[in-house]
């Protein structure tokens, strides 16, 4: 092949590649976006399972407004939240872990209920078992819709109170746990921790170069 | 500095397209597991590899014993494919769900995605920044003409404020250095100029939020025709990306996510236009992604 032809073909090849390629980028511009930011928040409580023989029952009350402190969860982004009314919050999970174990101890047929104020307990998790013989990582429990709805209603009130700068009405949330403590005939003595995780989405304004 | 001014500065100073949303990006990552961070940021490694490893070597000619010097700015850009805009998140350890969903990646839709779990529990996944392209620009200097060898370097560092109103801008650092050596000087009968080179780069955003290193090995052939100098390059790219962020799940523990090393063949076709001491160039690259680059240099 003659040299001139070689360069012509090479040049055409280059031009063809450039023209046939995917979309050409444009000149970058600064553009504003409303981006849905997702955050998680959680609250934990330690339960001390003591003295129960065979049947274990315990209750713990928290103030949901203090436990789910949206000001602290959203502190890093509050200046750029585009619309506080568009913030959403929902219960994501309930999990537990053993923090101080008791050798050979377990809980069977566990049931967890939640109660807002004195509104009556609603089951949020049932039929779970807990091996308390060793320290564990967080273990998720399967949730029931009634309890999730109750928690979500409270979270909605937390959100509205945060948006309006008011207090959460009827903000006491009581956890009640019950189950069969095994083996029977010896006293229960272990500590465990319960965690409620909430998922939050907030629209924020961001400048990007596109 | 207000946000618009900072944005203009970011453009003028030629930084990374997605980087300005650093603070929000970091906040988004904090709620995700390592695996989902990989999915959310999955468009980054190939896009960064394709852009950062472009427009480095643009000629096969290096003088044997005559000083060569050039300073310039080069802009490299890739356009994202639609398939880069979604990923399938894995269910977080604390969350129980049988539902499989798709969520936006960092360049995808700004709208959040939601996954429903037991009893109506919900896990939200963040929206993306709705970006169609990634543009990286870098100042570059080359000095050579010593036994057919030239040194090439890129360097850039700028902190665009950390006050609250500018929190979506951050610090960018780019450093790259390499060498190119003429092969055609040893073969006087070669009908074109040929050189081989290697280039190492490190690019960081924020306080260790994104840390990446690239290696580009290349052979460049070119031929000067009056003002025009078309060139073709064949090479190999390697790119490593690590992201670090504070987890919200583990009391602020720092999470480090290492992406798989990107290794790929790199083909370049382009041309320089020499107008006295001013040198313009445009090139097409087929590498980790298809990318384009343009640049302007001044020197002799």
């Amino acid at each position: 092949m003659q040299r001139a032809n070689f360069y012509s073909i090479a040049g055409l090849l280059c031009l063809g590649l450039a023209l046939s390629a995917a979309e050409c980028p444009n000149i970058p511009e600064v553009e504003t976006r409303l981006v849905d930011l997702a955050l998680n928040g959680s609250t934990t409580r330690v339960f001390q399972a003591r003295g129960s023989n065979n049947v274990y029952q315990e209750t713990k009350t928290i103030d949901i407004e203090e436990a789910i402190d949206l000001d602290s969860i959203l502190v890093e982004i509050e200046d750029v939240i585009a619309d506080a009314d568009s913030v959403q919050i929902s219960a994501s999970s309930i999990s537990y872990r053993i923090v101080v174990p008791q050798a050979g101890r377990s809980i069977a047929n566990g049931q967890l209920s939640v109660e807002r104020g004195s509104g009556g307990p609603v089951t949020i998790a049932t039929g779970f078992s807990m091996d308390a013989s060793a320290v564990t990582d967080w273990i998720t429990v399967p949730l029931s819709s009634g309890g999730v709805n109750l928690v979500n209603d409270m979270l909605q009130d937390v959100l509205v109170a945060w948006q309006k700068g008011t207090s959460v009405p009827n903000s006491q949330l009581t956890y009640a746990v019950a189950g069969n403590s095994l083996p029977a005939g010896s006293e229960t003595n272990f500590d465990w921790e319960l965690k409620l995780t909430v998922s939050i989405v907030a629209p924020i304004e961001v400048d990007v170069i596109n | 500095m207000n946000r618009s001014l900072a944005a203009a500065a970011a453009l003028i100073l030629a930084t990374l397209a997605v980087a300005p949303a650093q603070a929000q990006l970091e906040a988004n990552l904090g709620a995700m597991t390592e695996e989902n961070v990989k999915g959310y940021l999955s468009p980054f490694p190939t896009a960064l590899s394709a852009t950062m490893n472009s427009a480095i070597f643009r000629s096969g000619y290096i003088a044997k014993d005559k000083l060569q010097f050039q300073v310039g700015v080069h802009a490299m850009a890739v356009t994202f494919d639609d398939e880069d805009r979604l990923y399938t998140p894995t269910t977080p350890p604390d969350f129980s769900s049988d539902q499989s969903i798709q969520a936006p990646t960092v360049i995808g839709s700004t709208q959040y995605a939601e996954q429903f779990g037991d009893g109506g529990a919900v896990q939200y996944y963040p929206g993306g920044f709705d970006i169609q392209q990634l543009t990286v620009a870098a100042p570059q200097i080359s000095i050579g003409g010593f036994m057919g060898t030239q040194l090439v370097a890129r360097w850039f560092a700028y902190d665009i404020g950390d006050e609250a109103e500018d929190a979506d801008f951050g610090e960018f650092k780019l450093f790259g250095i390499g060498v190119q050596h003429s092969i055609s000087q040893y073969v006087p009968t070669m009908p074109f100029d040929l050189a081989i080179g290697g280039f190492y780069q490190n690019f960081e955003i924020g306080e260790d939020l994104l840390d990446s290193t690239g290696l580009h090995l290349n052979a460049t052939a070119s031929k000067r025709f009056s003002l025009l100098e078309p060139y073709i390059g064949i090479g190999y790219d390697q790119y490593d990306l690590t992201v670090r962020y504070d987890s919200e799940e583990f009391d602020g523990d720092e999470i480090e996510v290492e992406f798989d090393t990107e290794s790929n063949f790199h083909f370049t076709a382009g041309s320089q236009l020499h107008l006295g001491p001013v040198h313009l160039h445009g090139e097409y690259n087929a590498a980790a992604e298809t990318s384009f680059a343009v640049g302007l240099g001044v020197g002799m």
Side-chain angles (χ1 to χ4, degrees):
Chain A
M1 185 186 297
Q2 289 186 344
R3 195 175 297 173
N5 281 346
F6 170 79
Y7 290 124
S8 299
I9 291 169
L12 282 173
L13 179 63
C14 296
L15 186 63
L17 280 170
L19 293 176
S20 66
E23 294 174 63
C24 282
N26 299 313
I27 302 294
E29 294 177 355
V30 177
E31 297 172 358
T32 300
R33 299 275 192 273
L34 282 181
V35 176
D36 288 333
L37 183 73
L39 301 163
N40 282 347
S42 62
T43 179
T44 61
R45 280 295 181 276
V46 173
F47 287 72
Q48 293 176 322
R50 297 284 187 274
S52 305
N53 193 336
N54 191 217
V55 176
Y56 165 58
Q57 287 183 308
E58 192 175 1
T59 61
K60 212 75 158 178
T61 299
I62 64 168
D63 186 310
I64 195 79
E65 187 171 23
E66 293 174 3
I68 305 295
D69 182 0
L70 286 180
D71 277 334
S72 63
I73 294 173
L74 301 176
V75 64
E76 289 186 17
I77 61 164
E78 60 186 353
D79 290 338
V80 288
I81 290 179
D83 179 9
D85 291 339
S86 297
V87 175
Q88 297 182 60
I89 185 169
S90 180
S92 174
S93 67
I94 287 182
S95 51
Y96 73 89
R97 65 180 177 184
I98 305 298
V99 289
V100 179
Q102 179 185 13
R105 179 62 55 184
S106 66
I107 300 293
N109 199 25
Q111 179 170 314
L112 179 68
S113 61
V114 287
E115 179 177 8
R116 182 175 190 174
S118 55
V122 179
T123 300
I124 193 166
T126 185
F128 62 91
S129 56
M130 184 187 289
D131 180 356
S133 63
V135 170
T136 65
D137 203 348
W138 292 108
I139 297 169
T140 305
V141 297
L143 300 179
S144 305
S145 59
V148 172
N149 290 340
L150 183 144
V151 172
N152 278 341
D153 286 345
M154 293 191 80
L155 292 173
Q156 191 59 34
D157 288 346
V158 170
L159 180 61
V160 170
W162 174 78
Q163 289 164 339
K164 294 182 175 176
T166 57
S167 296
V168 178
N170 200 11
S171 61
Q172 299 296 303
L173 175 67
T174 300
Y175 296 111
V177 63
N180 299 326
S181 185
L182 302 172
S186 62
E187 292 201 339
T188 304
N189 185 8
F190 68 93
D191 294 355
W192 62 287
E193 191 172 15
L194 183 69
K195 179 169 74 169
L196 167 65
T197 302
V198 299
S199 193
I200 301 166
V201 61
I204 56 165
E205 193 172 295
V206 177
D207 288 339
V208 299
I209 303 172
N210 187 27
Chain B
M1 187 186 295
N2 66 39
R3 190 172 298 174
S4 298
L5 191 58
L11 265 177
I12 292 165
L13 293 166
T15 54
L16 178 67
V18 180
Q22 176 208 321
Q24 281 70 32
L25 176 60
E26 189 163 14
N28 258 350
L29 300 183
M32 287 194 277
T33 62
E34 291 180 47
E35 199 166 352
N36 286 336
V37 165
K38 280 190 174 182
Y40 185 69
L41 297 180
S42 58
F44 267 2
T46 53
L48 282 169
S49 176
T51 50
M52 301 297 289
N53 287 318
S54 295
I56 299 168
F57 302 119
R58 302 175 311 283
S59 174
Y61 173 75
I62 304 166
K64 192 170 182 180
D65 51 8
K66 178 186 168 189
L67 180 66
Q68 284 180 293
F69 178 80
Q70 195 174 120
V71 177
V73 175
H74 308 288
M76 299 79 75
V78 297
T79 303
F80 292 109
D81 297 328
D82 286 345
E83 64 194 35
D84 294 329
R85 300 178 71 80
L86 290 169
Y87 77 105
T88 303
T90 56
T91 304
D94 278 1
F95 184 65
S96 177
S97 174
D98 295 327
Q99 187 186 28
S100 178
I101 64 159
Q102 287 202 304
T105 63
V106 67
I107 63 145
S109 163
T110 59
Q111 301 291 310
Y112 69 90
E114 58 187 359
Q115 185 178 27
F116 291 97
D118 295 336
V122 176
Q123 175 68 43
Y124 296 117
Y125 297 92
F129 293 81
D130 190 18
I131 290 164
Q132 280 73 45
Q133 65 183 36
L134 177 76
T135 305
V136 175
Q140 184 167 311
I141 186 170
S142 61
I143 184 167
F146 312 107
M147 295 187 292
T149 303
Q150 73 170 349
L151 287 172
V152 182
R154 289 176 172 177
W155 180 81
F156 177 81
Y158 195 76
D159 186 354
I160 311 180
D162 55 4
E163 297 174 15
E165 64 173 357
D166 293 328
D168 50 343
F169 292 89
E171 187 176 22
F172 315 96
K173 290 181 196 167
L174 167 67
F175 173 73
I177 191 161
V179 65
Q180 191 182 27
H181 184 71
S182 171
I183 299 299
S184 49
Q185 68 174 325
Y186 304 115
V187 190
T189 56
M190 193 176 285
F192 51 84
D193 296 309
L194 177 67
I196 58 171
F199 197 77
Y200 166 85
Q201 288 178 94
N202 177 251
F203 178 66
E204 295 178 24
I205 300 175
E207 293 292 328
D208 290 335
L209 172 63
L210 186 153
D211 187 355
S212 65
T213 57
L215 177 66
H216 175 61
L217 302 175
N218 169 277
T220 303
S222 67
K223 179 75 175 178
R224 179 85 178 252
F225 299 98
S226 183
L227 301 180
L228 275 178
E229 185 183 11
Y231 60 91
I232 290 176
I234 294 174
Y236 167 81
D237 293 342
Q238 186 172 303
Y239 205 81
D240 292 296
L241 175 64
T242 302
V243 173
R244 296 181 189 86
Y245 61 98
D246 292 333
S247 168
E248 293 174 6
E249 289 295 302
F250 305 103
D251 301 325
D253 285 357
E254 186 178 85
I255 304 291
E256 182 174 296
V257 180
E258 282 189 35
F259 288 76
D260 294 338
T261 298
E262 288 285 333
S263 301
N264 51 272
F265 171 81
H266 191 140
F267 173 76
T268 304
S271 183
Q272 290 201 86
L273 177 62
H274 301 286
L275 302 170
V278 177
H279 311 275
L280 302 170
H281 81 91
E283 67 177 45
Y284 159 87
N285 292 276
E289 297 272 2
T290 299
S291 68
F292 295 88
V294 294
L296 166 68
V298 176
M300 56 182 185

